[in-house]
Amino acid sequence: MPASNFPVSRKASFDDSLMPPCQIACPLHMEIGEYVDLIAQGRVMEALQVIRSGNPFPAICAYVCTHPCEDTCRRGQVDHPIAIRALKRFAIEFGGDRMIQEEARTTYSEKVAVVGSGPAGLAAAYYLRKLGYPVTIFEAHSALGGMLRVGIPQYRLPREVLDIEVQRLTQMGVEIRTNTRVVSLDLLFELGYKAVFITVGAHQGLRLGIEGEESPGVVDGATFLREVNLGFQPSVGTSVAAVGGGNVAIDAARTALRLGAKEVKILYRRTRAEMPADPAEIEQALEEGVEICFLVAPIKITRENKRLRVTCIRFELGETDASGRPRPVPIQGSEFDMEFDTLITAIGQAPRIPEDFHLRIGKGSTIQVDPVTLLTNRPGVFAGGDAVTGPATVTQALAAGRQAAQRIDEYLRHKYPLPQKEKPPIAKDLLPKTIEVIRKAHRLEPERLAPQERVQGFRPIELIYDWQSAVDEARRCLRCGMGAEILFQDRCATCLNCLRVCPYHVPYLDENGTIQIPADQCQACGICVAECPAQAIVLRKPRDRRYIDEELHHVFSTAKQSGFRPLIVSFACQYGLFGTGTLSGLWKEAQASISIVPVLCVATVEPEHILRAFEMGAEGVFVAGCGEQCAREDTHFWVRQRVEKVRRALGQMGLEPERIQAFNVRVKEEDPVQRLHQFTEQIGQLYLAAVLAQEVKM
Amino acid sequence: MIVAEQKPLEEIQRMIAPYEKVLILGCGTCMTVCGAGGEREVSFLHSALRLAQARTGSNTHQFSEYTVKRQCDPEFMALIADRAREVDAILSLGCGIGVQVAAEHFPDTPVLPGVNTSFMGTITELGVWDERCAACGDCRLAETAGICPITRCTKGILNGPCAGTKNGKCEANKDIDCAWILIYERLERLGQLEKMRRYYPPRNFRTIPRPRRLVNLVKADMEEGNG
Amino acid sequence: MAKSLFEEKLNSGKFIVTAEVGPQKGVDCSEMIHHIKLLKDKVDALNVTDHQSSVMRFPSLGGCLLVKELGGEPILQVTCRDRNRLALEADLLLAYSRGICNVLCLTGDSVDVGDHKEAKPVFDLDSVQLLRMIRTLESGKDMGGNDLKGAPQFCIGASVHPAADRIEPQLVKFEKKVAAGAQFFQTQGIYELDSLRRFMQYASQFDVKILAGIIVMASARMAQYMNENVPGVIVPQSVIDELASAEKGKGLQKGIEIAVRTIKAIKEQNLCHGVHIMAVGRESVVPEIIEAAGL
């Protein structure tokens, strides 16, 4: 077998893709592009592996992540962002996450104490255990989870999901001490712990600071949600107000609805545009019947006849304040009264750190730490999560936990804490001319429960994608960061082919006359790679992906091992019927002699690849795209060019040009199964004829 | 740029038939740009020749491939001296110049042309090249509004269109613009029609006694003030 | 003193009639001789074509010698397609020495339209340069500036295309030909009189004789074919339609009718100085046309 001529001078495992905006936005820097792409190929279990490698508790994130990735997703500049969180949930459910067992071995003797079992604590425990440390989690409540358990309503995060993830920590050998409130850090060190991670969260509700706030019937959001989540059924009456504009206010309002309140209002002193709560959550609350009173805040509460008379004042928006939002200015004389049975204050939360910890406390009652090492003022004591940042997201807390585990490891192993090396990021904005050419496709959302069904109880609202919807949604991904690059500048003859063939008009000549392919605009179609006459361009390669040449060799060597000869080689779009194997069941009798080489896009298949397949022994080759599903209009055009080129060459060496075919599957008039049958039959006859001719000669 | 196209496979096979070890030599400049003999075409031809050999069951040839930046400079040939020594023939995918420079550089190695050198021209649309210069050595583009009648008029005439032009196209090829109509229109646009009204005498073909040579260097013995 | 009989007639003010014969491919000249005999006394001069449409034939010079031998007045058609300046000069010296004193100077059709498509097109000179070259020979020098032992004298003409779809560049060239010494012009085919009338309005300022080219069509198909394949031929759709309206087998008759009508009109309206009838292989009908047109 001839050695590959492909000019690969890099190791196959080398990852030179760039960091896409979604990955940058994710506090955990998960490889979103990678797992979305795997889902698009129907490789859901592999997608789950990628997800799990970047997130200790992906099932939790699949429910509660605020998905900042989607906010920066560049598909949003074209039409709508990719539904990344929903896709992750799909991978969790269809990839068999529940079956996964975590294992860990103790390699170090230094014990680590984790104080608090919120997402930061759980993540720190998980990674420390993975690193080989004995870990103990101390939790004041009766069950692990922190805010995940006592803050987030069950309709947003089913408790069995949390339980499964927590169970894995036990499997890994993490020691768990619930109902144990740590009062002294000195004691922990006396007990032999060599490092302590403080992650006690921010559970203390901030006070409104108005008259009557101590009245019965007034409760802070954190306390209210904790009571509900711990199984108490507090009576809220029929009319409830939640004060604030964050997720806690929304959670409290929607929980109140589920507890039987008939009329639930949110009082917020700015407008919807300024609400920090997740827009989707706001939308869902409105659907369920929550009313939001904007530019309104209470200034006095009086209790009359077991009800609350709440005096409110109206606001107007003034100049921008330090937070970048317009400052609400009370309108004099606009006071008015409203009556409620219950008023829930949810204007923010702060940590409450026992004084005996002797930790330096900073702004907003948070623990002060070194931003790189997460060390507090006490040696061996690290802190992270809401206790350090104030109320933040679950994913941020998980990231803090992971960082803490690494820093604690460095501390215990006496390593110098180095910042992590990251892939270079790509620019955020797509150019209008690029956007114009990208085929538009609407975002597919998983189905949700109807609002009237939701408020009946605490069932999760969002359902899971069906397989095809998930694949279709994932295919919308623009594959940011995987674009083409001129790898061999010295070979580049500046012929401008790349500039001419690019459907997105991405390559350009800079002022020095050098061709540039800006990675931030490239859509990774690969046409220029196959059209470069100097073979100077390659696609950036994310880990584990093979170049077509390598894939071709792989196919032949595995076929050889299993003792069959591939008579037909197909270069098939990895998303199409052939590439994903979706069609496999339909051509059983032909299967034995067909080998599929999945490719990123059939437009990347070069004439040399096809010739090489013949050289390696194939009797026939077909190129199968994904038809109308393709992100581009002109893919088939390029396939035809290359197929014709090889056909001419075959013809010149006396081989039948029909040995190579281009299938445009999913085009309505073409039945892929029938075409395949015809083709296999044809190739079979040609092969037979050749064998007979050979025998006659002998 | 010099434009060429690869010879048919059969012709190449016939040429290399007597030789066992053949180096397929690409050119990284014009031949790359016009798609006749760059890295890609070298590797495609290499694959095709190997496949053709495999299908006939013979094992006559051993192929190797290499692409130099430019075949028309002897210095680049020096870089492949070792490779050239190991083969029985070089199949050059350079233009006619490249083939000859290789032949001059490797006196003991047969050098075979793998492409037909066609003309000097430009790409006018993707995959379409058009001739623009005949290298006549007597450029008169200043008089013809930057459009060459020598190259682009099928008859190369100098004093205006023949009567065969129809719909602005050439009588010899209805897909090709009549150069003289183009010249007229552009001169009119530039306000220089008097240039076309001038009489142009017959061309001086003495400017191209073949082979031509261009010397742009003052030789030492021609320098002044040597004493 | 006139350089030729034809020049004398040109200057006489009479309505000039010329026609042409196309030599055969081969050495059997009998048909051409027949045509020459048929026409020589009915026209003022007889052109012999020079590998018309780049199809190789018996040479123009040979045909002109026959015309001369048979007592006619030949016009030697000379194109620049096949001979470089040495060959052109030499042929002209030979022509003059044998009494062939009228020359029609043409660029020549492209090799691509003929039957030797792989031949090397020469075009060492163009038609304007050819005209000037003849004037140079007449001055007793060749193009290399060398003295001639005895200089020839020619009545020289060229062609012009009044019906060209882009007329302005053609007029630029026409003026260059006039400046180069062309005395008469035989035009490309004329089918409608408007373009000729406009052209003559312009051309009357020059002291040259214009002979309107009349191509005799045998059928609508032929007209269409020539439109598409013969350089310089532009037959208007109205003429094609008229030819098509002819009864089966009467196409040529219709073609003759059109030619006669056109010639009559030109003569009656005194549009130009004469006509040049091109029968393209049907030379035998020319006397009929001349007679019918009352020439």
PDB file of all heavy atoms in Angstrom, chain A residues 569-573 578 599 601-603 605 610 621-625 636 639-640 642-643 660-665 670 679:
ATOM      1  N   VAL A 569     -15.899   1.914  -2.285  1.00  0.00           N
ATOM      2  CA  VAL A 569     -15.599   2.885  -1.233  1.00  0.00           C
ATOM      3  C   VAL A 569     -16.509   4.091  -1.453  1.00  0.00           C
ATOM      4  O   VAL A 569     -16.689   4.542  -2.579  1.00  0.00           O
ATOM      5  CB  VAL A 569     -14.119   3.321  -1.285  1.00  0.00           C
ATOM      6  CG1 VAL A 569     -13.877   4.502  -0.371  1.00  0.00           C
ATOM      7  CG2 VAL A 569     -13.223   2.157  -0.887  1.00  0.00           C
ATOM      8  N   SER A 570     -17.083   4.539  -0.374  1.00  0.00           N
ATOM      9  CA  SER A 570     -17.926   5.725  -0.473  1.00  0.00           C
ATOM     10  C   SER A 570     -17.346   6.838   0.363  1.00  0.00           C
ATOM     11  O   SER A 570     -17.034   6.647   1.539  1.00  0.00           O
ATOM     12  CB  SER A 570     -19.328   5.410   0.029  1.00  0.00           C
ATOM     13  OG  SER A 570     -20.006   6.632   0.270  1.00  0.00           O
ATOM     14  N   PHE A 571     -17.170   7.983  -0.257  1.00  0.00           N
ATOM     15  CA  PHE A 571     -16.862   9.190   0.503  1.00  0.00           C
ATOM     16  C   PHE A 571     -18.212   9.836   0.781  1.00  0.00           C
ATOM     17  O   PHE A 571     -18.879  10.310  -0.143  1.00  0.00           O
ATOM     18  CB  PHE A 571     -15.963  10.125  -0.293  1.00  0.00           C
ATOM     19  CG  PHE A 571     -14.618   9.535  -0.590  1.00  0.00           C
ATOM     20  CD1 PHE A 571     -14.376   8.856  -1.770  1.00  0.00           C
ATOM     21  CD2 PHE A 571     -13.591   9.632   0.338  1.00  0.00           C
ATOM     22  CE1 PHE A 571     -13.143   8.300  -2.043  1.00  0.00           C
ATOM     23  CE2 PHE A 571     -12.348   9.083   0.076  1.00  0.00           C
ATOM     24  CZ  PHE A 571     -12.122   8.414  -1.110  1.00  0.00           C
ATOM     25  N   ALA A 572     -18.610   9.803   2.040  1.00  0.00           N
ATOM     26  CA  ALA A 572     -19.983  10.212   2.336  1.00  0.00           C
ATOM     27  C   ALA A 572     -19.982  11.331   3.362  1.00  0.00           C
ATOM     28  O   ALA A 572     -19.195  11.333   4.313  1.00  0.00           O
ATOM     29  CB  ALA A 572     -20.773   9.028   2.869  1.00  0.00           C
ATOM     30  N   CYS A 573     -20.864  12.272   3.150  1.00  0.00           N
ATOM     31  CA  CYS A 573     -21.034  13.352   4.116  1.00  0.00           C
ATOM     32  C   CYS A 573     -21.299  12.739   5.486  1.00  0.00           C
ATOM     33  O   CYS A 573     -22.163  11.871   5.622  1.00  0.00           O
ATOM     34  CB  CYS A 573     -22.198  14.253   3.698  1.00  0.00           C
ATOM     35  SG  CYS A 573     -22.617  15.461   4.963  1.00  0.00           S
ATOM     36  N   PHE A 578     -25.604   8.078   4.315  1.00  0.00           N
ATOM     37  CA  PHE A 578     -24.561   7.065   4.274  1.00  0.00           C
ATOM     38  C   PHE A 578     -23.544   7.290   5.378  1.00  0.00           C
ATOM     39  O   PHE A 578     -23.102   6.369   6.040  1.00  0.00           O
ATOM     40  CB  PHE A 578     -23.860   7.090   2.912  1.00  0.00           C
ATOM     41  CG  PHE A 578     -24.729   6.622   1.795  1.00  0.00           C
ATOM     42  CD1 PHE A 578     -25.459   7.514   1.045  1.00  0.00           C
ATOM     43  CD2 PHE A 578     -24.826   5.267   1.501  1.00  0.00           C
ATOM     44  CE1 PHE A 578     -26.259   7.085   0.005  1.00  0.00           C
ATOM     45  CE2 PHE A 578     -25.625   4.821   0.471  1.00  0.00           C
ATOM     46  CZ  PHE A 578     -26.352   5.734  -0.276  1.00  0.00           C
ATOM     47  N   VAL A 599     -16.815  12.066   5.626  1.00  0.00           N
ATOM     48  CA  VAL A 599     -16.060  13.307   5.439  1.00  0.00           C
ATOM     49  C   VAL A 599     -16.890  14.481   5.937  1.00  0.00           C
ATOM     50  O   VAL A 599     -18.112  14.435   5.948  1.00  0.00           O
ATOM     51  CB  VAL A 599     -15.664  13.529   3.959  1.00  0.00           C
ATOM     52  CG1 VAL A 599     -14.739  12.440   3.500  1.00  0.00           C
ATOM     53  CG2 VAL A 599     -16.893  13.578   3.074  1.00  0.00           C
ATOM     54  N   CYS A 601     -17.487  17.307   4.650  1.00  0.00           N
ATOM     55  CA  CYS A 601     -18.423  17.727   3.594  1.00  0.00           C
ATOM     56  C   CYS A 601     -17.884  17.095   2.329  1.00  0.00           C
ATOM     57  O   CYS A 601     -16.663  17.022   2.146  1.00  0.00           O
ATOM     58  CB  CYS A 601     -18.445  19.257   3.453  1.00  0.00           C
ATOM     59  SG  CYS A 601     -19.458  19.813   2.050  1.00  0.00           S
ATOM     60  N   VAL A 602     -18.745  16.628   1.451  1.00  0.00           N
ATOM     61  CA  VAL A 602     -18.238  15.980   0.240  1.00  0.00           C
ATOM     62  C   VAL A 602     -17.493  16.958  -0.653  1.00  0.00           C
ATOM     63  O   VAL A 602     -16.748  16.556  -1.535  1.00  0.00           O
ATOM     64  CB  VAL A 602     -19.344  15.254  -0.560  1.00  0.00           C
ATOM     65  CG1 VAL A 602     -19.708  13.946   0.119  1.00  0.00           C
ATOM     66  CG2 VAL A 602     -20.549  16.128  -0.750  1.00  0.00           C
ATOM     67  N   ALA A 603     -17.683  18.247  -0.408  1.00  0.00           N
ATOM     68  CA  ALA A 603     -16.911  19.236  -1.175  1.00  0.00           C
ATOM     69  C   ALA A 603     -15.433  19.177  -0.823  1.00  0.00           C
ATOM     70  O   ALA A 603     -14.604  19.740  -1.526  1.00  0.00           O
ATOM     71  CB  ALA A 603     -17.441  20.645  -0.922  1.00  0.00           C
ATOM     72  N   VAL A 605     -13.733  16.369  -0.697  1.00  0.00           N
ATOM     73  CA  VAL A 605     -13.135  15.186  -1.312  1.00  0.00           C
ATOM     74  C   VAL A 605     -12.356  15.608  -2.554  1.00  0.00           C
ATOM     75  O   VAL A 605     -12.891  16.246  -3.451  1.00  0.00           O
ATOM     76  CB  VAL A 605     -14.212  14.152  -1.688  1.00  0.00           C
ATOM     77  CG1 VAL A 605     -13.582  12.953  -2.376  1.00  0.00           C
ATOM     78  CG2 VAL A 605     -14.958  13.726  -0.447  1.00  0.00           C
ATOM     79  N   ILE A 610     -10.096   9.969  -4.445  1.00  0.00           N
ATOM     80  CA  ILE A 610     -10.885   8.989  -5.201  1.00  0.00           C
ATOM     81  C   ILE A 610      -9.948   8.024  -5.931  1.00  0.00           C
ATOM     82  O   ILE A 610     -10.124   6.808  -5.876  1.00  0.00           O
ATOM     83  CB  ILE A 610     -11.821   9.713  -6.192  1.00  0.00           C
ATOM     84  CG1 ILE A 610     -12.745  10.673  -5.424  1.00  0.00           C
ATOM     85  CG2 ILE A 610     -12.631   8.717  -6.983  1.00  0.00           C
ATOM     86  CD1 ILE A 610     -13.594  11.572  -6.300  1.00  0.00           C
ATOM     87  N   VAL A 621     -16.310   3.661  -6.716  1.00  0.00           N
ATOM     88  CA  VAL A 621     -16.341   4.695  -5.683  1.00  0.00           C
ATOM     89  C   VAL A 621     -17.610   5.520  -5.887  1.00  0.00           C
ATOM     90  O   VAL A 621     -17.968   5.834  -7.013  1.00  0.00           O
ATOM     91  CB  VAL A 621     -15.110   5.636  -5.788  1.00  0.00           C
ATOM     92  CG1 VAL A 621     -15.282   6.853  -4.890  1.00  0.00           C
ATOM     93  CG2 VAL A 621     -13.832   4.893  -5.413  1.00  0.00           C
ATOM     94  N   PHE A 622     -18.284   5.808  -4.789  1.00  0.00           N
ATOM     95  CA  PHE A 622     -19.330   6.810  -4.933  1.00  0.00           C
ATOM     96  C   PHE A 622     -19.202   7.878  -3.868  1.00  0.00           C
ATOM     97  O   PHE A 622     -18.712   7.624  -2.769  1.00  0.00           O
ATOM     98  CB  PHE A 622     -20.738   6.205  -4.983  1.00  0.00           C
ATOM     99  CG  PHE A 622     -21.239   5.591  -3.699  1.00  0.00           C
ATOM    100  CD1 PHE A 622     -22.003   6.342  -2.810  1.00  0.00           C
ATOM    101  CD2 PHE A 622     -20.969   4.268  -3.402  1.00  0.00           C
ATOM    102  CE1 PHE A 622     -22.487   5.779  -1.651  1.00  0.00           C
ATOM    103  CE2 PHE A 622     -21.453   3.695  -2.233  1.00  0.00           C
ATOM    104  CZ  PHE A 622     -22.217   4.444  -1.352  1.00  0.00           C
ATOM    105  N   VAL A 623     -19.566   9.069  -4.256  1.00  0.00           N
ATOM    106  CA  VAL A 623     -19.510  10.218  -3.352  1.00  0.00           C
ATOM    107  C   VAL A 623     -20.957  10.571  -3.026  1.00  0.00           C
ATOM    108  O   VAL A 623     -21.756  10.784  -3.931  1.00  0.00           O
ATOM    109  CB  VAL A 623     -18.801  11.413  -4.006  1.00  0.00           C
ATOM    110  CG1 VAL A 623     -18.708  12.572  -3.032  1.00  0.00           C
ATOM    111  CG2 VAL A 623     -17.417  11.011  -4.490  1.00  0.00           C
ATOM    112  N   ALA A 624     -21.282  10.564  -1.758  1.00  0.00           N
ATOM    113  CA  ALA A 624     -22.676  10.803  -1.380  1.00  0.00           C
ATOM    114  C   ALA A 624     -22.756  11.982  -0.431  1.00  0.00           C
ATOM    115  O   ALA A 624     -22.208  11.958   0.663  1.00  0.00           O
ATOM    116  CB  ALA A 624     -23.259   9.555  -0.715  1.00  0.00           C
ATOM    117  N   GLY A 625     -23.414  13.006  -0.875  1.00  0.00           N
ATOM    118  CA  GLY A 625     -23.577  14.192  -0.028  1.00  0.00           C
ATOM    119  C   GLY A 625     -24.809  14.056   0.846  1.00  0.00           C
ATOM    120  O   GLY A 625     -25.364  12.975   1.009  1.00  0.00           O
ATOM    121  N   HIS A 636     -22.688  20.179  -4.686  1.00  0.00           N
ATOM    122  CA  HIS A 636     -22.770  19.161  -5.731  1.00  0.00           C
ATOM    123  C   HIS A 636     -21.979  19.579  -6.968  1.00  0.00           C
ATOM    124  O   HIS A 636     -21.382  18.740  -7.650  1.00  0.00           O
ATOM    125  CB  HIS A 636     -24.237  18.887  -6.088  1.00  0.00           C
ATOM    126  CG  HIS A 636     -24.421  17.575  -6.772  1.00  0.00           C
ATOM    127  ND1 HIS A 636     -24.128  16.364  -6.165  1.00  0.00           N
ATOM    128  CD2 HIS A 636     -24.848  17.274  -8.019  1.00  0.00           C
ATOM    129  CE1 HIS A 636     -24.370  15.379  -7.021  1.00  0.00           C
ATOM    130  NE2 HIS A 636     -24.802  15.904  -8.153  1.00  0.00           N
ATOM    131  N   VAL A 639     -18.469  18.578  -6.346  1.00  0.00           N
ATOM    132  CA  VAL A 639     -18.348  17.121  -6.417  1.00  0.00           C
ATOM    133  C   VAL A 639     -18.299  16.695  -7.883  1.00  0.00           C
ATOM    134  O   VAL A 639     -17.473  15.877  -8.284  1.00  0.00           O
ATOM    135  CB  VAL A 639     -19.514  16.446  -5.681  1.00  0.00           C
ATOM    136  CG1 VAL A 639     -19.514  14.952  -5.927  1.00  0.00           C
ATOM    137  CG2 VAL A 639     -19.443  16.745  -4.189  1.00  0.00           C
ATOM    138  N   ARG A 640     -19.163  17.288  -8.713  1.00  0.00           N
ATOM    139  CA  ARG A 640     -19.200  16.934 -10.137  1.00  0.00           C
ATOM    140  C   ARG A 640     -17.846  17.226 -10.790  1.00  0.00           C
ATOM    141  O   ARG A 640     -17.343  16.436 -11.575  1.00  0.00           O
ATOM    142  CB  ARG A 640     -20.279  17.715 -10.894  1.00  0.00           C
ATOM    143  CG  ARG A 640     -21.662  17.495 -10.454  1.00  0.00           C
ATOM    144  CD  ARG A 640     -22.427  16.416 -11.169  1.00  0.00           C
ATOM    145  NE  ARG A 640     -21.809  15.902 -12.403  1.00  0.00           N
ATOM    146  CZ  ARG A 640     -21.966  14.659 -12.807  1.00  0.00           C
ATOM    147  NH1 ARG A 640     -22.636  13.812 -12.067  1.00  0.00           N
ATOM    148  NH2 ARG A 640     -21.458  14.270 -13.930  1.00  0.00           N
ATOM    149  N   ARG A 642     -14.901  17.205  -9.566  1.00  0.00           N
ATOM    150  CA  ARG A 642     -13.848  16.267  -9.172  1.00  0.00           C
ATOM    151  C   ARG A 642     -14.139  14.890  -9.729  1.00  0.00           C
ATOM    152  O   ARG A 642     -13.243  14.184 -10.192  1.00  0.00           O
ATOM    153  CB  ARG A 642     -13.743  16.248  -7.655  1.00  0.00           C
ATOM    154  CG  ARG A 642     -13.751  17.689  -7.125  1.00  0.00           C
ATOM    155  CD  ARG A 642     -12.903  17.928  -5.959  1.00  0.00           C
ATOM    156  NE  ARG A 642     -12.973  19.355  -5.639  1.00  0.00           N
ATOM    157  CZ  ARG A 642     -13.680  19.847  -4.629  1.00  0.00           C
ATOM    158  NH1 ARG A 642     -14.349  19.036  -3.824  1.00  0.00           N
ATOM    159  NH2 ARG A 642     -13.674  21.136  -4.407  1.00  0.00           N
ATOM    160  N   VAL A 643     -15.414  14.516  -9.689  1.00  0.00           N
ATOM    161  CA  VAL A 643     -15.797  13.215 -10.223  1.00  0.00           C
ATOM    162  C   VAL A 643     -15.451  13.163 -11.715  1.00  0.00           C
ATOM    163  O   VAL A 643     -14.879  12.186 -12.200  1.00  0.00           O
ATOM    164  CB  VAL A 643     -17.303  12.969  -9.990  1.00  0.00           C
ATOM    165  CG1 VAL A 643     -17.812  11.843 -10.876  1.00  0.00           C
ATOM    166  CG2 VAL A 643     -17.555  12.638  -8.519  1.00  0.00           C
ATOM    167  N   ILE A 660     -17.233   5.465 -11.044  1.00  0.00           N
ATOM    168  CA  ILE A 660     -17.371   6.501 -10.025  1.00  0.00           C
ATOM    169  C   ILE A 660     -18.663   7.263 -10.222  1.00  0.00           C
ATOM    170  O   ILE A 660     -18.991   7.657 -11.335  1.00  0.00           O
ATOM    171  CB  ILE A 660     -16.131   7.427  -9.948  1.00  0.00           C
ATOM    172  CG1 ILE A 660     -16.521   8.769  -9.385  1.00  0.00           C
ATOM    173  CG2 ILE A 660     -15.453   7.618 -11.252  1.00  0.00           C
ATOM    174  CD1 ILE A 660     -15.434   9.367  -8.615  1.00  0.00           C
ATOM    175  N   GLN A 661     -19.377   7.436  -9.147  1.00  0.00           N
ATOM    176  CA  GLN A 661     -20.697   8.056  -9.192  1.00  0.00           C
ATOM    177  C   GLN A 661     -20.812   9.113  -8.104  1.00  0.00           C
ATOM    178  O   GLN A 661     -20.176   9.006  -7.062  1.00  0.00           O
ATOM    179  CB  GLN A 661     -21.790   7.008  -8.936  1.00  0.00           C
ATOM    180  CG  GLN A 661     -21.828   5.878  -9.942  1.00  0.00           C
ATOM    181  CD  GLN A 661     -22.488   6.277 -11.248  1.00  0.00           C
ATOM    182  OE1 GLN A 661     -23.234   7.244 -11.291  1.00  0.00           O
ATOM    183  NE2 GLN A 661     -22.195   5.543 -12.313  1.00  0.00           N
ATOM    184  N   ALA A 662     -21.622  10.100  -8.381  1.00  0.00           N
ATOM    185  CA  ALA A 662     -21.945  11.083  -7.340  1.00  0.00           C
ATOM    186  C   ALA A 662     -23.420  10.946  -6.994  1.00  0.00           C
ATOM    187  O   ALA A 662     -24.266  11.080  -7.866  1.00  0.00           O
ATOM    188  CB  ALA A 662     -21.654  12.494  -7.843  1.00  0.00           C
ATOM    189  N   PHE A 663     -23.701  10.595  -5.760  1.00  0.00           N
ATOM    190  CA  PHE A 663     -25.092  10.499  -5.310  1.00  0.00           C
ATOM    191  C   PHE A 663     -25.457  11.801  -4.624  1.00  0.00           C
ATOM    192  O   PHE A 663     -24.729  12.277  -3.768  1.00  0.00           O
ATOM    193  CB  PHE A 663     -25.283   9.372  -4.282  1.00  0.00           C
ATOM    194  CG  PHE A 663     -25.100   7.994  -4.836  1.00  0.00           C
ATOM    195  CD1 PHE A 663     -24.783   7.788  -6.165  1.00  0.00           C
ATOM    196  CD2 PHE A 663     -25.264   6.890  -4.010  1.00  0.00           C
ATOM    197  CE1 PHE A 663     -24.620   6.508  -6.659  1.00  0.00           C
ATOM    198  CE2 PHE A 663     -25.101   5.609  -4.502  1.00  0.00           C
ATOM    199  CZ  PHE A 663     -24.775   5.422  -5.826  1.00  0.00           C
ATOM    200  N   ASN A 664     -26.578  12.327  -4.994  1.00  0.00           N
ATOM    201  CA  ASN A 664     -27.033  13.539  -4.311  1.00  0.00           C
ATOM    202  C   ASN A 664     -28.226  13.145  -3.445  1.00  0.00           C
ATOM    203  O   ASN A 664     -29.363  13.420  -3.785  1.00  0.00           O
ATOM    204  CB  ASN A 664     -27.402  14.609  -5.328  1.00  0.00           C
ATOM    205  CG  ASN A 664     -27.384  15.988  -4.716  1.00  0.00           C
ATOM    206  OD1 ASN A 664     -26.860  16.167  -3.607  1.00  0.00           O
ATOM    207  ND2 ASN A 664     -27.957  16.944  -5.396  1.00  0.00           N
ATOM    208  N   VAL A 665     -27.940  12.411  -2.389  1.00  0.00           N
ATOM    209  CA  VAL A 665     -29.042  11.836  -1.612  1.00  0.00           C
ATOM    210  C   VAL A 665     -29.870  12.926  -0.947  1.00  0.00           C
ATOM    211  O   VAL A 665     -29.408  14.027  -0.720  1.00  0.00           O
ATOM    212  CB  VAL A 665     -28.536  10.849  -0.541  1.00  0.00           C
ATOM    213  CG1 VAL A 665     -27.968   9.628  -1.220  1.00  0.00           C
ATOM    214  CG2 VAL A 665     -27.549  11.490   0.376  1.00  0.00           C
ATOM    215  N   GLU A 670     -34.271  11.279  -6.254  1.00  0.00           N
ATOM    216  CA  GLU A 670     -33.260  10.236  -6.207  1.00  0.00           C
ATOM    217  C   GLU A 670     -33.498   9.322  -5.011  1.00  0.00           C
ATOM    218  O   GLU A 670     -33.479   9.766  -3.872  1.00  0.00           O
ATOM    219  CB  GLU A 670     -31.875  10.882  -6.121  1.00  0.00           C
ATOM    220  CG  GLU A 670     -30.811  10.040  -6.758  1.00  0.00           C
ATOM    221  CD  GLU A 670     -29.490  10.790  -6.853  1.00  0.00           C
ATOM    222  OE1 GLU A 670     -29.316  11.578  -7.804  1.00  0.00           O
ATOM    223  OE2 GLU A 670     -28.659  10.594  -5.952  1.00  0.00           O
ATOM    224  N   PHE A 679     -25.807   0.548  -8.445  1.00  0.00           N
ATOM    225  CA  PHE A 679     -24.371   0.760  -8.509  1.00  0.00           C
ATOM    226  C   PHE A 679     -23.616  -0.507  -8.093  1.00  0.00           C
ATOM    227  O   PHE A 679     -22.676  -0.927  -8.766  1.00  0.00           O
ATOM    228  CB  PHE A 679     -23.992   1.940  -7.612  1.00  0.00           C
ATOM    229  CG  PHE A 679     -22.546   2.339  -7.715  1.00  0.00           C
ATOM    230  CD1 PHE A 679     -21.989   2.640  -8.949  1.00  0.00           C
ATOM    231  CD2 PHE A 679     -21.755   2.412  -6.586  1.00  0.00           C
ATOM    232  CE1 PHE A 679     -20.659   3.015  -9.053  1.00  0.00           C
ATOM    233  CE2 PHE A 679     -20.422   2.780  -6.687  1.00  0.00           C
ATOM    234  CZ  PHE A 679     -19.883   3.078  -7.921  1.00  0.00           C
TER     235      PHE A 679
END
